């Protein structure tokens, strides 16, 4: 494996990845804000989604800084950025799988108590394991400049490290591979269970089964369960392809299209989650639309009736004109 090469990151690739980072930052922020604003939506699955969004939010920030700088050496900010993105990205993998496990236990096993008891375990694994791996990599001087061979401008595992493949696996790739295997299996099992339950319900409640509203909600849930693992794999597969090409020392890993897809895919998870779990969720979409309309109407009303200081009530509550009327 050659370690002296360097993948050139073009301006167009930088712009595309920075836009992707911005969308993920905004998407993750929207998920967090909706959770804070509307307490009645604070279910456990959405709480887990907020934790995932925190990881994606931090990941988007660190990747944005890295692709903006396009590092060319083991500088202090390169190591810091590489450590933050390593922790956030690995944590994102764990939280993505944690949500799937929670839904499996809650829906398929029909055990809410067990599912809720797993949340503490999810915290321990999804925060502590990435932190321990990142600290170990930092202490052993494994994080730094990687010549964009398996990144797009940002820093990750030092390309000069003799055991770089091992640390690339530990700091991300092995968890990525496990997610590729785990997510489709869990969501297929959840989908099968929902289809069987819906079929049984339809047999005894034909009116409900023929209800357009019920069919609409079921179809949307079914599409989401299908899209979650597909979107994850579609976004992440490009970084996996480049990693495998690096293992065989193929120059194809430096292809500009592949580099751009890698950069956009790695930084789009927050935006994809926002689209699926906010914009494609009818109750949240309705509330956001209402809030937006309210702001628009308020701004229009203020434009129609601009603020006039001369009509401001005094401490006693009378306007100047009223005071003149009272004294006459």
């Amino acid at each position: 494996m050659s370690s002296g090469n360097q993948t050139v990151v073009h301006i167009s690739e930088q712009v595309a990845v920075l836009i992707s980072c911005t969308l993920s930052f905004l998407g993750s922020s929207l998920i967090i804000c909706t959770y804070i604003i509307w307490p009645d939506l604070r279910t456990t699955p959405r709480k887990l989604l907020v934790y995932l969004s925190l990881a994606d939010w931090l990941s988007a920030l660190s990747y944005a800084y890295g692709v903006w700088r396009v590092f060319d050496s083991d500088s202090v900010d390169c190591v810091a950025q590489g450590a933050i993105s390593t922790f956030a990205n690995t944590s994102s993998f764990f939280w993505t799988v944690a949500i799937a496990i929670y839904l499996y236990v809650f829906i398929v096993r029909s055990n809410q108590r067990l599912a809720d008891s797993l949340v503490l375990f999810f915290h321990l694994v999804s925060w502590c394991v990435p932190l321990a791996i990142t600290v170990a990599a930092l202490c052993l001087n494994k994080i730094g400049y990687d010549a964009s061979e398996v990144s797009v401008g940002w820093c990750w595992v030092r390309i000069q490290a003799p055991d770089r493949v091992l640390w690339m696996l530990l700091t991300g790739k092995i968890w990525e591979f496990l997610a590729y295997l785990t997510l489709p299996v869990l969501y297929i099992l959840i989908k099968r269970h929902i289809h069987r339950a819906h079929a049984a319900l339809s047999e005894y409640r034909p009116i409900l089964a023929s209800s357009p509203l019920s069919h609409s909600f079921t179809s949307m849930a079914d599409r989401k369960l299908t899209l979650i693992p597909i979107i994850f794999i579609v976004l992440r597969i490009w970084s996996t392809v480049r990693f495998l090409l690096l293992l065989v020392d193929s120059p194809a890993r430096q292809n500009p299209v592949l580099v751009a897809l890698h950069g956009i895919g790695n930084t789009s998870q927050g935006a994809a989650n926002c689209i699926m779990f906010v914009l494609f969720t009818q109750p949240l979409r309705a509330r956001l639309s209402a809030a937006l309309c309210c702001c628009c109407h308020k701004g229009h009303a203020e434009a129609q009736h601009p603020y006039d200081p001369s009509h401001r009530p005094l401490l006693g509550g009378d306007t100047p004109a009223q005071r003149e009327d009272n004294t006459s």
Side-chain angles (χ1 to χ4, degrees), residues 1-5 149 159 164 241-254:
M1 183 192 307
S2 174
S3 60
N5 295 332
E149 290 292 80
I159 198 66
R164 54 186 170 272
V241 169
R242 288 193 71 204
F243 173 70
L244 295 175
L245 291 174
L246 178 69
L247 294 183
V248 298
D249 200 19
S250 171
R253 69 183 181 273
Q254 299 177 339

Side-chain angles (χ1 to χ4, degrees), residues 50-98:
V50 167
Y51 300 140
L52 170 61
S53 298
L54 287 171
D56 290 333
W57 185 86
L58 186 60
S59 180
L61 279 180
S62 61
Y63 280 145
Y65 181 78
V67 77
W68 173 69
R69 285 276 280 109
V70 186
F71 294 104
D72 57 5
S73 64
D74 282 320
S75 58
V76 174
D77 55 342
C78 165
V79 175
Q81 179 274 312
I84 293 171
S85 63
T86 297
F87 167 76
N89 198 42
T90 307
S91 180
S92 178
F93 291 148
F94 279 104
W95 279 117
T96 302
V97 175

Side-chain angles (χ1 to χ4, degrees), residues 48 95 98-99 101-102 115 118-127:
L48 298 179
W95 279 117
I99 292 172
I101 294 173
Y102 180 91
L118 289 173
V119 174
L120 178 59
F121 174 75
F122 292 153
H123 276 290
L124 291 174
V125 173
S126 301
W127 297 126

Side-chain angles (χ1 to χ4, degrees), residues 179-195:
Y180 288 155
L181 298 173
T182 306
L183 292 177
V185 171
L186 289 174
Y187 281 111
I188 287 172
L189 292 174
I190 294 170
K191 278 169 59 70
R192 286 181 58 191
H193 179 82
I194 291 176
H195 286 173

Side-chain angles (χ1 to χ4, degrees), residues 153-319:
W154 57 78
C155 291
W156 187 30
V157 175
R158 290 177 62 246
I159 198 66
Q160 299 293 341
D163 53 353
R164 54 186 170 272
V165 174
L166 172 63
W167 282 98
M168 286 177 182
L169 289 170
L170 287 175
T171 57
K173 290 305 167 187
I174 192 170
W175 315 115
E176 192 174 63
F177 292 141
L178 289 175
Y180 288 155
L181 298 173
T182 306
L183 292 177
V185 171
L186 289 174
Y187 281 111
I188 287 172
L189 292 174
I190 294 170
K191 278 169 59 70
R192 286 181 58 191
H193 179 82
I194 291 176
H195 286 173
R196 288 174 180 172
H198 189 263
L201 185 63
S202 301
E203 183 178 351
Y204 295 101
R205 296 185 182 178
I207 296 176
L208 179 60
S210 61
S211 169
L213 187 60
S214 174
H215 180 72
S216 174
F217 287 150
T218 303
S219 299
M220 179 57 73
D222 187 61
R223 284 197 295 270
K224 280 186 181 180
L225 291 173
T226 303
L227 287 173
I228 289 170
I230 292 176
I231 289 176
F232 178 85
I233 293 172
V234 167
L235 291 179
R236 296 288 183 174
I237 195 65
W238 312 109
S239 65
T240 304
V241 169
R242 288 193 71 204
F243 173 70
L244 295 175
L245 291 174
L246 178 69
L247 294 183
V248 298
D249 200 19
S250 171
R253 69 183 181 273
Q254 299 177 339
N255 183 283
V257 176
L258 184 58
V259 172
L261 289 172
H262 175 192
I264 294 170
N266 263 40
T267 57
S268 295
Q269 192 65 51
N273 288 338
C274 179
I275 291 171
M276 279 195 296
F277 299 111
V278 176
L279 302 184
F280 281 3
T281 301
Q282 198 278 332
L284 272 174
R285 189 170 65 247
R287 294 189 187 200
L288 287 173
S289 298
L292 186 60
C293 289
C294 181
C295 291
C296 291
H297 285 312
K298 184 178 179 181
H300 182 68
E302 289 178 352
Q304 291 276 346
H305 305 285
Y307 174 72
D308 187 353
S310 65
H311 294 290
R312 180 184 176 185
L314 301 177
L315 292 177
D318 293 335
T319 63

